Amino acid sequence: MNLSFTEENYLKAIFHLNYPVNENVGTNAISEALNTRAASVTDMLKKLAEKELINYEKYQGVSLTDFGQKKAITIVRKHRLWEVFLVDKLNFKWDEVHDIAEELEHINSETLINRLEAFLDFPKRDPHGDPIPDKDGVIRSQELIPVSKLKVGDSGVISGVREHSADFLKYLEKTGLILGETLSIAEIVKFDSSVMVKIKKNQQMISREVAKNLLIAL
């Protein structure tokens, strides 16, 4: 089944909103994620339901069918592999690749993607730490914890981010909060939940918002 770019974007958005548990997602959440009017979202959901890609019932939210889940994972797989290619082979920065991968993910060639994966030596994670589904759609996720959930004295390796905006990634790059660095919690400010973190011999204060969107593996 050939899908339009818009249909694929909806499937991917629903997948991200309810991963890892495929539970119902509200229309408003989809509208916000795609920056689209609620009325337009409703029209598209009806079309996706007719194609048996989602389970849709008015006022009850939506979830992906098994067929829709498979399609969504394929799109996510392509997106994340292209991001690895752009960073590792074309020397893009991690804050530059999302929009380009958004276009490349719609190339409909399974052979190309499988060869791309082999060319990249079967990477397990994209440049932002997100797991890459294999060709069978299996996602081997790692439990990652936001810094905001840690306690003083806890430490771990920065392994992912929740926020993928260029501004956020540039901030992390500038402050040295990048993947692979070991981070420890030196202090938590009760007033605003900002966090003093230590990386190597340096300490810096990060906001609660940053702490919520920075993920580590303990």
mmCIF file of all heavy atoms in Angstrom, residues 122-173:
data_model
loop_
_atom_site.group_PDB
_atom_site.id
_atom_site.type_symbol
_atom_site.label_atom_id
_atom_site.label_comp_id
_atom_site.label_asym_id
_atom_site.label_seq_id
_atom_site.Cartn_x
_atom_site.Cartn_y
_atom_site.Cartn_z
ATOM 1 N N PHE A 122 25.120 -1.727 10.651
ATOM 2 C CA PHE A 122 23.996 -2.076 11.522
ATOM 3 C C PHE A 122 23.985 -1.305 12.851
ATOM 4 O O PHE A 122 24.100 -1.884 13.940
ATOM 5 C CB PHE A 122 23.989 -3.586 11.789
ATOM 6 C CG PHE A 122 23.918 -4.411 10.532
ATOM 7 C CD1 PHE A 122 25.072 -4.898 9.929
ATOM 8 C CD2 PHE A 122 22.696 -4.666 9.925
ATOM 9 C CE1 PHE A 122 25.010 -5.641 8.757
ATOM 10 C CE2 PHE A 122 22.617 -5.404 8.756
ATOM 11 C CZ PHE A 122 23.776 -5.893 8.162
ATOM 12 N N PRO A 123 23.868 0.006 12.769
ATOM 13 C CA PRO A 123 23.837 0.822 14.005
ATOM 14 C C PRO A 123 22.608 0.510 14.845
ATOM 15 O O PRO A 123 21.542 0.178 14.312
ATOM 16 C CB PRO A 123 23.777 2.254 13.467
ATOM 17 C CG PRO A 123 23.130 2.120 12.120
ATOM 18 C CD PRO A 123 23.642 0.821 11.571
ATOM 19 N N LYS A 124 22.753 0.600 16.145
ATOM 20 C CA LYS A 124 21.646 0.309 17.071
ATOM 21 C C LYS A 124 20.898 1.565 17.485
ATOM 22 O O LYS A 124 19.734 1.492 17.879
ATOM 23 C CB LYS A 124 22.184 -0.391 18.316
ATOM 24 C CG LYS A 124 22.919 -1.690 18.030
ATOM 25 C CD LYS A 124 22.069 -2.686 17.268
ATOM 26 C CE LYS A 124 22.841 -3.979 17.012
ATOM 27 N NZ LYS A 124 22.062 -4.901 16.137
ATOM 28 N N ARG A 125 21.569 2.745 17.389
ATOM 29 C CA ARG A 125 20.944 3.990 17.829
ATOM 30 C C ARG A 125 21.272 5.111 16.856
ATOM 31 O O ARG A 125 22.320 5.108 16.211
ATOM 32 C CB ARG A 125 21.409 4.374 19.246
ATOM 33 C CG ARG A 125 20.933 3.391 20.299
ATOM 34 C CD ARG A 125 21.207 3.855 21.713
ATOM 35 N NE ARG A 125 20.533 2.961 22.647
ATOM 36 C CZ ARG A 125 19.276 3.107 23.040
ATOM 37 N NH1 ARG A 125 18.571 4.137 22.618
ATOM 38 N NH2 ARG A 125 18.710 2.257 23.862
ATOM 39 N N ASP A 126 20.363 6.071 16.787
ATOM 40 C CA ASP A 126 20.597 7.222 15.916
ATOM 41 C C ASP A 126 21.435 8.266 16.663
ATOM 42 O O ASP A 126 21.789 8.057 17.831
ATOM 43 C CB ASP A 126 19.273 7.775 15.390
ATOM 44 C CG ASP A 126 18.458 8.518 16.444
ATOM 45 O OD1 ASP A 126 18.976 8.782 17.550
ATOM 46 O OD2 ASP A 126 17.296 8.852 16.172
ATOM 47 N N PRO A 127 21.790 9.384 16.032
ATOM 48 C CA PRO A 127 22.657 10.363 16.700
ATOM 49 C C PRO A 127 22.066 10.989 17.951
ATOM 50 O O PRO A 127 22.790 11.619 18.733
ATOM 51 C CB PRO A 127 22.862 11.432 15.607
ATOM 52 C CG PRO A 127 22.633 10.720 14.324
ATOM 53 C CD PRO A 127 21.561 9.728 14.617
ATOM 54 N N HIS A 128 20.744 10.835 18.164
ATOM 55 C CA HIS A 128 20.100 11.399 19.347
ATOM 56 C C HIS A 128 19.855 10.346 20.430
ATOM 57 O O HIS A 128 19.221 10.632 21.440
ATOM 58 C CB HIS A 128 18.772 12.045 18.945
ATOM 59 C CG HIS A 128 18.913 12.987 17.788
ATOM 60 N ND1 HIS A 128 18.381 12.735 16.551
ATOM 61 C CD2 HIS A 128 19.561 14.163 17.684
ATOM 62 C CE1 HIS A 128 18.682 13.722 15.727
ATOM 63 N NE2 HIS A 128 19.403 14.601 16.385
ATOM 64 N N GLY A 129 20.354 9.129 20.194
ATOM 65 C CA GLY A 129 20.228 8.074 21.184
ATOM 66 C C GLY A 129 18.987 7.222 21.049
ATOM 67 O O GLY A 129 18.765 6.321 21.863
ATOM 68 N N ASP A 130 18.158 7.473 20.033
ATOM 69 C CA ASP A 130 16.933 6.696 19.856
ATOM 70 C C ASP A 130 17.238 5.356 19.201
ATOM 71 O O ASP A 130 18.040 5.283 18.258
ATOM 72 C CB ASP A 130 15.927 7.457 18.997
ATOM 73 C CG ASP A 130 15.454 8.736 19.660
ATOM 74 O OD1 ASP A 130 15.171 8.685 20.871
ATOM 75 O OD2 ASP A 130 15.364 9.779 18.984
ATOM 76 N N PRO A 131 16.595 4.267 19.651
ATOM 77 C CA PRO A 131 16.870 2.949 19.082
ATOM 78 C C PRO A 131 16.379 2.840 17.646
ATOM 79 O O PRO A 131 15.338 3.384 17.287
ATOM 80 C CB PRO A 131 16.099 1.998 20.008
ATOM 81 C CG PRO A 131 14.994 2.834 20.571
ATOM 82 C CD PRO A 131 15.578 4.209 20.718
ATOM 83 N N ILE A 132 17.129 2.135 16.817
ATOM 84 C CA ILE A 132 16.771 1.936 15.413
ATOM 85 C C ILE A 132 16.126 0.561 15.255
ATOM 86 O O ILE A 132 16.756 -0.457 15.557
ATOM 87 C CB ILE A 132 18.015 2.036 14.515
ATOM 88 C CG1 ILE A 132 18.651 3.421 14.658
ATOM 89 C CG2 ILE A 132 17.656 1.754 13.061
ATOM 90 C CD1 ILE A 132 19.975 3.566 13.934
ATOM 91 N N PRO A 133 14.875 0.502 14.782
ATOM 92 C CA PRO A 133 14.234 -0.797 14.556
ATOM 93 C C PRO A 133 15.029 -1.598 13.519
ATOM 94 O O PRO A 133 15.565 -1.027 12.558
ATOM 95 C CB PRO A 133 12.844 -0.420 14.012
ATOM 96 C CG PRO A 133 12.632 1.002 14.439
ATOM 97 C CD PRO A 133 13.987 1.634 14.444
ATOM 98 N N ASP A 134 15.099 -2.919 13.693
ATOM 99 C CA ASP A 134 15.761 -3.740 12.683
ATOM 100 C C ASP A 134 14.795 -4.018 11.532
ATOM 101 O O ASP A 134 13.656 -3.535 11.533
ATOM 102 C CB ASP A 134 16.315 -5.037 13.291
ATOM 103 C CG ASP A 134 15.236 -5.979 13.808
ATOM 104 O OD1 ASP A 134 14.053 -5.856 13.403
ATOM 105 O OD2 ASP A 134 15.568 -6.865 14.610
ATOM 106 N N LYS A 135 15.222 -4.777 10.549
ATOM 107 C CA LYS A 135 14.410 -4.991 9.352
ATOM 108 C C LYS A 135 13.127 -5.761 9.641
ATOM 109 O O LYS A 135 12.199 -5.746 8.829
ATOM 110 C CB LYS A 135 15.224 -5.712 8.286
ATOM 111 C CG LYS A 135 15.653 -7.125 8.649
ATOM 112 C CD LYS A 135 16.449 -7.741 7.511
ATOM 113 C CE LYS A 135 16.865 -9.168 7.854
ATOM 114 N NZ LYS A 135 17.624 -9.789 6.734
ATOM 115 N N ASP A 136 13.072 -6.419 10.791
ATOM 116 C CA ASP A 136 11.858 -7.136 11.193
ATOM 117 C C ASP A 136 10.952 -6.291 12.068
ATOM 118 O O ASP A 136 9.929 -6.768 12.561
ATOM 119 C CB ASP A 136 12.234 -8.437 11.928
ATOM 120 C CG ASP A 136 13.000 -9.403 11.043
ATOM 121 O OD1 ASP A 136 12.610 -9.561 9.864
ATOM 122 O OD2 ASP A 136 14.001 -9.976 11.527
ATOM 123 N N GLY A 137 11.353 -5.038 12.303
ATOM 124 C CA GLY A 137 10.531 -4.144 13.103
ATOM 125 C C GLY A 137 10.750 -4.266 14.592
ATOM 126 O O GLY A 137 10.010 -3.664 15.381
ATOM 127 N N VAL A 138 11.771 -5.004 15.004
ATOM 128 C CA VAL A 138 12.054 -5.178 16.429
ATOM 129 C C VAL A 138 12.837 -3.966 16.931
ATOM 130 O O VAL A 138 13.833 -3.563 16.327
ATOM 131 C CB VAL A 138 12.861 -6.462 16.678
ATOM 132 C CG1 VAL A 138 13.221 -6.586 18.164
ATOM 133 C CG2 VAL A 138 12.073 -7.677 16.218
ATOM 134 N N ILE A 139 12.368 -3.390 18.034
ATOM 135 C CA ILE A 139 13.032 -2.238 18.637
ATOM 136 C C ILE A 139 13.633 -2.671 19.965
ATOM 137 O O ILE A 139 12.910 -2.984 20.915
ATOM 138 C CB ILE A 139 12.054 -1.069 18.866
ATOM 139 C CG1 ILE A 139 11.392 -0.662 17.552
ATOM 140 C CG2 ILE A 139 12.773 0.122 19.488
ATOM 141 C CD1 ILE A 139 10.353 0.418 17.714
ATOM 142 N N ARG A 140 14.934 -2.706 20.034
ATOM 143 C CA ARG A 140 15.614 -3.108 21.267
ATOM 144 C C ARG A 140 15.917 -1.845 22.076
ATOM 145 O O ARG A 140 16.996 -1.272 21.984
ATOM 146 C CB ARG A 140 16.880 -3.887 20.952
ATOM 147 C CG ARG A 140 16.594 -5.240 20.292
ATOM 148 C CD ARG A 140 17.866 -5.996 19.944
ATOM 149 N NE ARG A 140 17.550 -7.335 19.479
ATOM 150 C CZ ARG A 140 17.211 -7.633 18.226
ATOM 151 N NH1 ARG A 140 17.142 -6.670 17.321
ATOM 152 N NH2 ARG A 140 16.946 -8.885 17.870
ATOM 153 N N SER A 141 14.925 -1.434 22.813
ATOM 154 C CA SER A 141 15.058 -0.186 23.560
ATOM 155 C C SER A 141 15.836 -0.404 24.855
ATOM 156 O O SER A 141 15.862 -1.494 25.420
ATOM 157 C CB SER A 141 13.682 0.401 23.875
ATOM 158 O OG SER A 141 12.913 -0.510 24.629
ATOM 159 N N GLN A 142 16.471 0.648 25.305
ATOM 160 C CA GLN A 142 17.223 0.662 26.557
ATOM 161 C C GLN A 142 16.512 1.591 27.519
ATOM 162 O O GLN A 142 16.009 2.637 27.112
ATOM 163 C CB GLN A 142 18.647 1.162 26.289
ATOM 164 C CG GLN A 142 19.525 1.285 27.525
ATOM 165 C CD GLN A 142 20.881 1.879 27.184
ATOM 166 O OE1 GLN A 142 21.083 2.420 26.108
ATOM 167 N NE2 GLN A 142 21.823 1.780 28.111
ATOM 168 N N GLU A 143 16.426 1.198 28.769
ATOM 169 C CA GLU A 143 15.748 2.053 29.737
ATOM 170 C C GLU A 143 16.588 3.292 30.016
ATOM 171 O O GLU A 143 17.696 3.213 30.535
ATOM 172 C CB GLU A 143 15.491 1.301 31.043
ATOM 173 C CG GLU A 143 14.691 2.131 32.041
ATOM 174 C CD GLU A 143 14.385 1.397 33.321
ATOM 175 O OE1 GLU A 143 14.832 0.256 33.491
ATOM 176 O OE2 GLU A 143 13.686 1.986 34.164
ATOM 177 N N LEU A 144 16.031 4.425 29.650
ATOM 178 C CA LEU A 144 16.697 5.692 29.883
ATOM 179 C C LEU A 144 15.857 6.531 30.844
ATOM 180 O O LEU A 144 14.636 6.496 30.796
ATOM 181 C CB LEU A 144 16.896 6.446 28.570
ATOM 182 C CG LEU A 144 17.702 5.729 27.484
ATOM 183 C CD1 LEU A 144 17.811 6.599 26.240
ATOM 184 C CD2 LEU A 144 19.090 5.343 27.991
ATOM 185 N N ILE A 145 16.523 7.290 31.691
ATOM 186 C CA ILE A 145 15.850 8.049 32.737
ATOM 187 C C ILE A 145 16.163 9.530 32.568
ATOM 188 O O ILE A 145 17.338 9.897 32.397
ATOM 189 C CB ILE A 145 16.312 7.568 34.130
ATOM 190 C CG1 ILE A 145 16.003 6.070 34.305
ATOM 191 C CG2 ILE A 145 15.647 8.379 35.231
ATOM 192 C CD1 ILE A 145 16.588 5.479 35.563
ATOM 193 N N PRO A 146 15.146 10.393 32.622
ATOM 194 C CA PRO A 146 15.442 11.825 32.548
ATOM 195 C C PRO A 146 16.204 12.290 33.779
ATOM 196 O O PRO A 146 15.991 11.787 34.881
ATOM 197 C CB PRO A 146 14.056 12.468 32.472
ATOM 198 C CG PRO A 146 13.114 11.450 33.024
ATOM 199 C CD PRO A 146 13.703 10.114 32.704
ATOM 200 N N VAL A 147 17.090 13.238 33.583
ATOM 201 C CA VAL A 147 17.899 13.765 34.684
ATOM 202 C C VAL A 147 17.000 14.294 35.803
ATOM 203 O O VAL A 147 17.357 14.225 36.986
ATOM 204 C CB VAL A 147 18.844 14.870 34.165
ATOM 205 C CG1 VAL A 147 19.539 15.583 35.316
ATOM 206 C CG2 VAL A 147 19.879 14.270 33.218
ATOM 207 N N SER A 148 15.829 14.796 35.447
ATOM 208 C CA SER A 148 14.909 15.351 36.447
ATOM 209 C C SER A 148 14.411 14.308 37.447
ATOM 210 O O SER A 148 13.893 14.664 38.506
ATOM 211 C CB SER A 148 13.709 16.002 35.750
ATOM 212 O OG SER A 148 13.026 15.064 34.951
ATOM 213 N N LYS A 149 14.567 13.027 37.141
ATOM 214 C CA LYS A 149 14.111 11.960 38.035
ATOM 215 C C LYS A 149 15.220 11.457 38.965
ATOM 216 O O LYS A 149 14.975 10.598 39.814
ATOM 217 C CB LYS A 149 13.577 10.785 37.213
ATOM 218 C CG LYS A 149 12.367 11.092 36.347
ATOM 219 C CD LYS A 149 11.128 11.340 37.171
ATOM 220 C CE LYS A 149 9.898 11.513 36.294
ATOM 221 N NZ LYS A 149 8.675 11.780 37.091
ATOM 222 N N LEU A 150 16.412 11.982 38.813
ATOM 223 C CA LEU A 150 17.540 11.492 39.593
ATOM 224 C C LEU A 150 17.645 12.199 40.942
ATOM 225 O O LEU A 150 17.025 13.231 41.170
ATOM 226 C CB LEU A 150 18.839 11.682 38.814
ATOM 227 C CG LEU A 150 18.901 11.015 37.434
ATOM 228 C CD1 LEU A 150 20.254 11.288 36.793
ATOM 229 C CD2 LEU A 150 18.656 9.515 37.551
ATOM 230 N N LYS A 151 18.456 11.624 41.804
ATOM 231 C CA LYS A 151 18.705 12.185 43.128
ATOM 232 C C LYS A 151 20.172 12.595 43.233
ATOM 233 O O LYS A 151 21.011 12.164 42.437
ATOM 234 C CB LYS A 151 18.370 11.160 44.213
ATOM 235 C CG LYS A 151 16.908 10.715 44.220
ATOM 236 C CD LYS A 151 16.672 9.648 45.273
ATOM 237 C CE LYS A 151 15.215 9.181 45.276
ATOM 238 N NZ LYS A 151 14.975 8.115 46.291
ATOM 239 N N VAL A 152 20.469 13.411 44.207
ATOM 240 C CA VAL A 152 21.850 13.831 44.431
ATOM 241 C C VAL A 152 22.729 12.597 44.639
ATOM 242 O O VAL A 152 22.400 11.701 45.415
ATOM 243 C CB VAL A 152 21.952 14.765 45.653
ATOM 244 C CG1 VAL A 152 23.415 15.066 45.977
ATOM 245 C CG2 VAL A 152 21.199 16.062 45.385
ATOM 246 N N GLY A 153 23.838 12.552 43.919
ATOM 247 C CA GLY A 153 24.755 11.414 44.011
ATOM 248 C C GLY A 153 24.590 10.413 42.899
ATOM 249 O O GLY A 153 25.495 9.614 42.627
ATOM 250 N N ASP A 154 23.425 10.422 42.226
ATOM 251 C CA ASP A 154 23.209 9.515 41.095
ATOM 252 C C ASP A 154 24.093 9.924 39.918
ATOM 253 O O ASP A 154 24.406 11.101 39.731
ATOM 254 C CB ASP A 154 21.748 9.548 40.638
ATOM 255 C CG ASP A 154 20.811 8.848 41.616
ATOM 256 O OD1 ASP A 154 21.318 8.104 42.477
ATOM 257 O OD2 ASP A 154 19.591 9.051 41.510
ATOM 258 N N SER A 155 24.479 8.935 39.121
ATOM 259 C CA SER A 155 25.284 9.239 37.941
ATOM 260 C C SER A 155 24.978 8.236 36.836
ATOM 261 O O SER A 155 24.437 7.151 37.094
ATOM 262 C CB SER A 155 26.781 9.217 38.272
ATOM 263 O OG SER A 155 27.187 7.913 38.656
ATOM 264 N N GLY A 156 25.296 8.605 35.622
ATOM 265 C CA GLY A 156 25.073 7.721 34.497
ATOM 266 C C GLY A 156 25.596 8.360 33.223
ATOM 267 O O GLY A 156 26.129 9.479 33.246
ATOM 268 N N VAL A 157 25.430 7.650 32.124
ATOM 269 C CA VAL A 157 25.939 8.124 30.838
ATOM 270 C C VAL A 157 24.812 8.782 30.047
ATOM 271 O O VAL A 157 23.718 8.217 29.917
ATOM 272 C CB VAL A 157 26.528 6.948 30.034
ATOM 273 C CG1 VAL A 157 27.000 7.422 28.653
ATOM 274 C CG2 VAL A 157 27.675 6.304 30.798
ATOM 275 N N ILE A 158 25.056 9.984 29.536
ATOM 276 C CA ILE A 158 24.072 10.653 28.690
ATOM 277 C C ILE A 158 23.858 9.804 27.443
ATOM 278 O O ILE A 158 24.789 9.532 26.690
ATOM 279 C CB ILE A 158 24.547 12.065 28.300
ATOM 280 C CG1 ILE A 158 24.760 12.916 29.550
ATOM 281 C CG2 ILE A 158 23.534 12.729 27.372
ATOM 282 C CD1 ILE A 158 25.358 14.289 29.256
ATOM 283 N N SER A 159 22.615 9.366 27.225
ATOM 284 C CA SER A 159 22.355 8.389 26.164
ATOM 285 C C SER A 159 21.202 8.746 25.248
ATOM 286 O O SER A 159 20.905 7.999 24.305
ATOM 287 C CB SER A 159 22.084 7.009 26.794
ATOM 288 O OG SER A 159 23.183 6.586 27.577
ATOM 289 N N GLY A 160 20.514 9.856 25.496
ATOM 290 C CA GLY A 160 19.397 10.208 24.634
ATOM 291 C C GLY A 160 18.779 11.534 25.017
ATOM 292 O O GLY A 160 19.129 12.145 26.037
ATOM 293 N N VAL A 161 17.856 11.992 24.175
ATOM 294 C CA VAL A 161 17.134 13.236 24.426
ATOM 295 C C VAL A 161 15.662 13.038 24.087
ATOM 296 O O VAL A 161 15.308 12.243 23.221
ATOM 297 C CB VAL A 161 17.699 14.409 23.582
ATOM 298 C CG1 VAL A 161 19.107 14.761 24.030
ATOM 299 C CG2 VAL A 161 17.684 14.073 22.096
ATOM 300 N N ARG A 162 14.811 13.766 24.781
ATOM 301 C CA ARG A 162 13.386 13.762 24.459
ATOM 302 C C ARG A 162 13.044 14.859 23.446
ATOM 303 O O ARG A 162 12.140 14.719 22.659
ATOM 304 C CB ARG A 162 12.565 13.988 25.732
ATOM 305 C CG ARG A 162 12.391 12.753 26.588
ATOM 306 C CD ARG A 162 11.585 13.095 27.827
ATOM 307 N NE ARG A 162 11.165 11.917 28.565
ATOM 308 C CZ ARG A 162 10.620 11.944 29.772
ATOM 309 N NH1 ARG A 162 10.446 13.107 30.391
ATOM 310 N NH2 ARG A 162 10.258 10.828 30.372
ATOM 311 N N GLU A 163 13.764 15.940 23.521
ATOM 312 C CA GLU A 163 13.523 17.101 22.664
ATOM 313 C C GLU A 163 14.537 17.085 21.521
ATOM 314 O O GLU A 163 15.741 16.976 21.752
ATOM 315 C CB GLU A 163 13.669 18.380 23.493
ATOM 316 C CG GLU A 163 13.667 19.652 22.694
ATOM 317 C CD GLU A 163 12.371 19.886 21.974
ATOM 318 O OE1 GLU A 163 11.303 19.874 22.635
ATOM 319 O OE2 GLU A 163 12.412 20.067 20.753
ATOM 320 N N HIS A 164 14.036 17.183 20.272
ATOM 321 C CA HIS A 164 14.926 17.090 19.116
ATOM 322 C C HIS A 164 15.082 18.411 18.367
ATOM 323 O O HIS A 164 15.630 18.434 17.270
ATOM 324 C CB HIS A 164 14.414 16.018 18.147
ATOM 325 C CG HIS A 164 14.554 14.622 18.664
ATOM 326 N ND1 HIS A 164 13.740 14.119 19.653
ATOM 327 C CD2 HIS A 164 15.415 13.617 18.343
ATOM 328 C CE1 HIS A 164 14.092 12.869 19.915
ATOM 329 N NE2 HIS A 164 15.108 12.547 19.132
ATOM 330 N N SER A 165 14.609 19.492 18.943
ATOM 331 C CA SER A 165 14.709 20.771 18.240
ATOM 332 C C SER A 165 16.170 21.180 18.097
ATOM 333 O O SER A 165 17.013 20.861 18.942
ATOM 334 C CB SER A 165 13.941 21.862 18.988
ATOM 335 O OG SER A 165 14.584 22.181 20.203
ATOM 336 N N ALA A 166 16.469 21.904 17.015
ATOM 337 C CA ALA A 166 17.840 22.346 16.766
ATOM 338 C C ALA A 166 18.353 23.226 17.901
ATOM 339 O O ALA A 166 19.515 23.126 18.304
ATOM 340 C CB ALA A 166 17.916 23.087 15.432
ATOM 341 N N ASP A 167 17.490 24.097 18.440
ATOM 342 C CA ASP A 167 17.910 24.994 19.521
ATOM 343 C C ASP A 167 18.358 24.215 20.751
ATOM 344 O O ASP A 167 19.369 24.552 21.383
ATOM 345 C CB ASP A 167 16.778 25.948 19.898
ATOM 346 C CG ASP A 167 16.547 27.032 18.845
ATOM 347 O OD1 ASP A 167 17.454 27.244 18.025
ATOM 348 O OD2 ASP A 167 15.473 27.649 18.863
ATOM 349 N N PHE A 168 17.600 23.181 21.093
ATOM 350 C CA PHE A 168 17.950 22.381 22.269
ATOM 351 C C PHE A 168 19.256 21.622 22.046
ATOM 352 O O PHE A 168 20.142 21.600 22.911
ATOM 353 C CB PHE A 168 16.824 21.406 22.595
ATOM 354 C CG PHE A 168 17.077 20.557 23.812
ATOM 355 C CD1 PHE A 168 17.213 21.120 25.062
ATOM 356 C CD2 PHE A 168 17.185 19.174 23.697
ATOM 357 C CE1 PHE A 168 17.460 20.337 26.189
ATOM 358 C CE2 PHE A 168 17.420 18.382 24.818
ATOM 359 C CZ PHE A 168 17.563 18.968 26.063
ATOM 360 N N LEU A 169 19.401 21.011 20.868
ATOM 361 C CA LEU A 169 20.604 20.233 20.585
ATOM 362 C C LEU A 169 21.846 21.127 20.517
ATOM 363 O O LEU A 169 22.923 20.740 20.966
ATOM 364 C CB LEU A 169 20.426 19.461 19.276
ATOM 365 C CG LEU A 169 19.291 18.421 19.287
ATOM 366 C CD1 LEU A 169 19.157 17.773 17.916
ATOM 367 C CD2 LEU A 169 19.519 17.361 20.361
ATOM 368 N N LYS A 170 21.685 22.334 19.971
ATOM 369 C CA LYS A 170 22.801 23.278 19.947
ATOM 370 C C LYS A 170 23.203 23.675 21.366
ATOM 371 O O LYS A 170 24.390 23.823 21.673
ATOM 372 C CB LYS A 170 22.422 24.519 19.144
ATOM 373 C CG LYS A 170 22.364 24.295 17.643
ATOM 374 C CD LYS A 170 21.911 25.556 16.926
ATOM 375 C CE LYS A 170 21.825 25.339 15.433
ATOM 376 N NZ LYS A 170 21.311 26.534 14.713
ATOM 377 N N TYR A 171 22.205 23.842 22.241
ATOM 378 C CA TYR A 171 22.489 24.174 23.639
ATOM 379 C C TYR A 171 23.296 23.054 24.299
ATOM 380 O O TYR A 171 24.288 23.320 25.000
ATOM 381 C CB TYR A 171 21.178 24.392 24.396
ATOM 382 C CG TYR A 171 21.339 24.414 25.895
ATOM 383 C CD1 TYR A 171 21.787 25.550 26.560
ATOM 384 C CD2 TYR A 171 21.066 23.274 26.654
ATOM 385 C CE1 TYR A 171 21.951 25.556 27.936
ATOM 386 C CE2 TYR A 171 21.224 23.271 28.032
ATOM 387 C CZ TYR A 171 21.665 24.411 28.668
ATOM 388 O OH TYR A 171 21.831 24.405 30.034
ATOM 389 N N LEU A 172 22.886 21.809 24.074
ATOM 390 C CA LEU A 172 23.605 20.684 24.669
ATOM 391 C C LEU A 172 25.031 20.618 24.147
ATOM 392 O O LEU A 172 25.975 20.366 24.908
ATOM 393 C CB LEU A 172 22.874 19.375 24.365
ATOM 394 C CG LEU A 172 21.475 19.214 24.964
ATOM 395 C CD1 LEU A 172 20.906 17.837 24.607
ATOM 396 C CD2 LEU A 172 21.490 19.395 26.480
ATOM 397 N N GLU A 173 25.189 20.849 22.854
ATOM 398 C CA GLU A 173 26.530 20.827 22.247
ATOM 399 C C GLU A 173 27.414 21.906 22.866
ATOM 400 O O GLU A 173 28.576 21.674 23.212
ATOM 401 C CB GLU A 173 26.397 21.045 20.740
ATOM 402 C CG GLU A 173 27.672 20.824 19.962
ATOM 403 C CD GLU A 173 27.924 19.363 19.637
ATOM 404 O OE1 GLU A 173 26.951 18.577 19.577
ATOM 405 O OE2 GLU A 173 29.106 19.015 19.450
#
